[in-house]
Amino acid sequence: MGASIGLMAAIERLVRRRQAMSKLLQLGIYLDNEVISEGDIAAASVLVDIARRTGPTEPSDLAWVAMCLALRTTRDGHTCVDFNRIQEWGASLTADDHQYFPGSSAPWLDALASVPLLVGTASERKAFILDGQRLYLGRSFSQEQAIAAVLTRNSASNVNVLLGGPGTGKTTEVARRLIERFEQGGVMPRLTLAAPTGKAATRMTEVLHARCKDQNASPEVVAAVTAVAARTIHSLLGYAPNRTPRFTFGAHNPLPYDLVVIDEASMLSSSDMYQLLEALAPTTELLLVGDPDQLASVESGSVLADIAASANNPQSLLASRIKVLQTQHRFAADSSIAALATAVRNGDTSSAFNVLEANNNDLRWVDPKNSDQLQMLIDEVYQHALGLCESAVNADAAEVLEKQRMLQVLCAHRGGEMGVFGWNDRINGLLGSKAATTWYAGRPVMVSRNNPALNLSNGDVGVVLGAKSGDRVHAVFGQSGQYNTIPTSRLEDVSTVHALTIHKSQGSEYVHAVVVLPENNSRILTRELLYTGVTRAIGKLTIVGTRSTIQLAIERPIRRASGLATRL
């Protein structure tokens, strides 16, 4: 009997493998053009097999492709497939193959309607949910619904949103609001501060403390506002990946706070926002702070951008809860940097090139195809690295940190000659014997994993200091006014950062930012990527990229498919 059961199971597995191979052949056009992947088909096959146990389920090729696209959404940052924009998902198809990829929504919706055991409506629990013109994974749909419900409950009276570009005074405004709140008297509100990353949380704590002092708040209020250092959102929620439930705080156990302030909210994915909002008690106030024009989260969703879109809809409950700060303080309002940032944010290619070609002192455009211009830039970056090595031997820690922030190369990519690895290898090579050891004096390093024991967060940048003979080698991290030195023997998961990615630079600023764009068309090349790089500069900006690359970036905003803005 046992042998018969084993044989039947083996036959069933063989049949499934053959069916999967057959489906790969049928969908070859979509695979060859990278519209979908073999992994998408394998995942969809599992769901189809489960549905077949309930009843007849034979999806058409178009239904297969639609389900595979929904499974692909998490890789592309979308929360759904929007059939009103379906042409974007088939952009990689050749002109001849577009006959197999309808440009209108009707054929897709008809194909999905034929598999009701797999695709349900908003009120059903199915693997896929079709809500109007959008196809979701069931989990993504339920999270989006929950986010909208919490943000708009009690007529959105417990939610406030503070939006603004870099240097517009968002933290100053947060400090002002908190000071007013704590000076009202009575019972002090239970406050907590958080951000998506450890680096952003650390900077939030430091800057908020400084802004409270700048506004002459009483020592008691400053102490109350900064009593608890900002944490990552995962830390706030008590995340433990190997435990069930993974989060200590949630709908079953709300956070014990009256007011929750979240900085750098543009970096929040839909999943993280869902977990955060689920953990808020109905009476807890939420203040979201961020720049919707910067890079969105690495994972799926563009929650802050969706919230910002509701500011333009007077029928949205959130419209009156949003304040937008526009006055720029990071760089001079009449600077070329400000003009370029505005042009990029607005998608104004003509104005952007007018600024780039003006050849002003604070802005330089280097075409990587111009070897003379590129070599001059390489020499400048090398001289900065050489100066950092010399300062690390002779100067104090605070001066070394200031020196490091005088110039920073920011790359779109890690790989390639014009990526992070290429620039770091190039500069280390030019330093020669000065960079002959792992922990050479002046080596700029970035932490790539949180280390609470050392008070270091993923993304923190420091510099290795020189040591006298017999002394231990240390690296210094922090700001010039508040820093700590750590023996390099205790440092783990660090990398050299003569250059770092634009993504990793979010929340930082440099006297001279060198923004290096890809040499060819890249999927990560977007308006938000360029805008984020441009706005890291305080006094001087260098853009490295061809005319076509810069134009492509400005004309390609991130368009993540989502239904959240509509629900709000």
Side-chain angles (χ1 to χ4, degrees):
M1 182 69 177
S4 298
I5 294 174
L7 178 61
M8 291 298 293
I11 292 173
E12 186 176 345
R13 287 196 297 271
L14 179 60
V15 169
R16 282 203 299 267
R17 280 198 295 270
R18 287 181 174 176
Q19 289 174 337
M21 288 299 297
S22 174
K23 190 51 61 181
L24 287 173
L25 292 173
Q26 284 178 254
L27 302 179
I29 291 174
Y30 308 101
L31 286 168
D32 293 343
N33 288 280
E34 299 183 345
V35 174
I36 57 178
S37 70
E38 291 188 16
D40 298 328
I41 295 175
S45 297
V46 172
L47 296 172
V48 170
D49 285 342
I50 293 172
R52 283 173 176 157
R53 297 171 192 169
T54 305
T57 303
E58 297 301 329
S60 65
D61 283 357
L62 209 55
W64 273 98
V65 174
M67 291 186 293
C68 287
L69 288 176
L71 290 161
R72 169 186 155 175
T73 54
T74 55
R75 297 199 305 276
D76 294 339
H78 304 296
T79 56
C80 63
V81 180
D82 188 345
F83 290 111
N84 284 324
R85 295 164 42 194
I86 191 61
Q87 300 95 330
E88 296 175 20
W89 273 264
S92 59
L93 287 167
T94 65
D96 292 338
D97 290 336
H98 266 289
Q99 62 181 307
Y100 305 106
F101 199 89
S104 61
S105 62
W108 297 94
L109 302 183
D110 290 343
L112 292 168
S114 67
V115 282
L117 294 178
L118 281 163
V119 182
T121 61
S123 60
E124 297 178 286
R125 291 177 62 87
K126 296 289 176 66
F128 302 93
I129 299 296
L130 185 61
D131 186 37
Q133 300 282 313
R134 299 185 181 95
L135 178 67
Y136 295 81
L137 296 176
R139 181 179 179 182
S140 297
F141 180 74
S142 62
Q143 287 186 350
E144 187 173 283
Q145 278 191 315
I147 291 171
V150 174
L151 289 176
T152 57
R153 71 183 172 193
N154 302 323
S155 299
S157 59
N158 289 340
V159 177
N160 284 285
V161 183
L162 184 60
L163 305 177
T168 53
K170 295 188 295 295
T171 309
T172 300
E173 175 67 12
V174 171
R176 184 189 64 77
R177 293 187 185 193
L178 293 179
I179 290 170
E180 287 183 358
R181 182 72 179 273
F182 278 87
E183 287 182 341
Q184 288 177 358
V187 180
M188 290 285 192
R190 295 170 298 172
L191 168 71
T192 192
L193 313 170
T197 67
K199 177 182 176 182
T202 299
R203 181 163 176 77
M204 180 187 189
T205 301
E206 294 170 348
V207 177
L208 186 59
H209 190 276
R211 296 297 178 270
C212 285
K213 287 188 173 181
D214 290 345
Q215 297 195 32
N216 298 317
S218 67
E220 294 77 15
V221 169
V222 172
V225 170
T226 60
V228 180
R231 294 174 280 176
T232 66
I233 289 171
H234 278 188
S235 175
L236 173 66
L237 298 178
Y239 176 68
N242 299 319
R243 184 188 63 204
T244 302
R246 292 179 301 153
F247 293 92
T248 301
F249 296 100
H252 62 288
N253 183 29
L255 288 164
Y257 300 105
D258 303 307
L259 175 59
V260 176
V261 181
I262 305 296
D263 197 14
E264 297 289 357
S266 66
M267 299 168 68
L268 273 176
S269 66
S270 290
S271 178
D272 284 343
M273 180 64 87
Y274 166 76
Q275 296 294 345
L276 171 67
L277 296 181
E278 281 288 285
L280 298 182
T283 56
T284 298
E285 295 178 49
L286 174 67
L287 174 57
L288 296 172
V289 185
D291 180 2
D293 295 313
Q294 284 197 45
L295 286 165
S297 65
V298 176
E299 298 177 8
S300 299
S302 51
V303 180
L304 190 68
D306 291 335
I307 291 172
S310 66
N312 299 318
N313 180 4
Q315 295 181 337
S316 170
L317 292 172
L318 285 176
S320 63
R321 313 299 299 176
I322 297 173
K323 180 175 181 177
V324 181
L325 302 178
Q326 297 178 325
T327 303
Q328 174 60 242
H329 304 288
R330 174 170 293 181
F331 28 74
D334 60 349
S335 71
S336 298
I337 301 172
L340 181 61
T342 300
V344 172
R345 186 186 64 228
N346 295 337
D348 188 345
T349 305
S350 177
S351 294
F353 281 113
N354 286 340
V355 177
L356 286 167
E357 292 168 343
N359 200 29
N360 292 322
N361 292 333
D362 61 342
L363 177 59
R364 175 176 47 172
W365 174 19
V366 173
D367 188 327
K369 294 180 180 179
N370 186 319
S371 57
D372 291 339
Q373 285 186 346
L374 184 59
Q375 188 57 53
M376 287 178 61
L377 175 62
I378 292 171
D379 290 343
E380 183 177 358
V381 176
Y382 161 63
Q383 289 298 326
H384 171 260
L386 183 62
L388 190 60
C389 290
E390 294 170 351
S391 293
V393 172
N394 302 312
D396 63 26
E399 187 175 330
V400 171
L401 288 173
E402 282 302 309
K403 179 78 174 180
Q404 191 277 326
R405 293 187 180 89
M406 294 300 292
L407 184 150
Q408 182 65 61
V409 177
L410 307 174
C411 303
H413 281 290
R414 284 188 170 85
E417 283 295 306
M418 300 302 287
V420 169
F421 299 150
W423 275 93
N424 283 329
D425 288 346
R426 187 180 294 118
I427 301 305
N428 276 337
L430 290 171
L431 288 172
S433 60
K434 290 186 178 294
T437 62
T438 301
W439 298 109
Y440 63 86
R443 178 192 174 195
V445 293
M446 173 179 280
V447 177
S448 56
R449 187 175 64 176
N450 293 334
N451 190 332
L454 299 178
N455 196 27
L456 292 176
S457 300
N458 182 0
D460 283 348
V461 172
V463 182
V464 178
L465 300 173
K468 297 179 181 179
S469 179
D471 289 347
R472 287 205 295 181
V473 179
H474 288 72
V476 58
F477 293 84
Q479 310 290 324
S480 59
Q482 184 178 3
Y483 59 85
N484 62 323
T485 57
I486 299 170
T488 56
S489 58
R490 299 188 64 191
L491 293 176
E492 300 176 347
D493 302 303
V494 298
S495 56
T496 303
V497 285
H498 295 295
L500 53 86
T501 63
I502 295 173
H503 276 84
K504 283 290 189 180
S505 75
Q506 283 184 275
S508 300
E509 55 187 37
Y510 311 97
V511 175
H512 180 188
V514 178
V515 178
V516 184
L517 299 179
E519 297 174 86
N520 47 37
N521 187 1
S522 169
R523 292 180 67 180
I524 71 169
L525 184 63
T526 63
R527 180 185 301 169
E528 289 78 5
L529 182 84
L530 178 55
Y531 173 79
T532 301
V534 167
T535 54
R536 298 310 93 201
I538 301 173
K540 184 176 181 181
L541 172 67
T542 298
I543 300 292
V544 183
T546 63
R547 175 178 285 272
S548 60
T549 299
I550 295 171
Q551 180 173 342
L552 180 61
I554 296 172
E555 294 178 351
R556 184 195 280 171
I558 293 175
R559 294 188 64 195
R560 291 188 168 180
S562 164
L564 181 60
T566 302
R567 299 183 198 286
L568 296 175

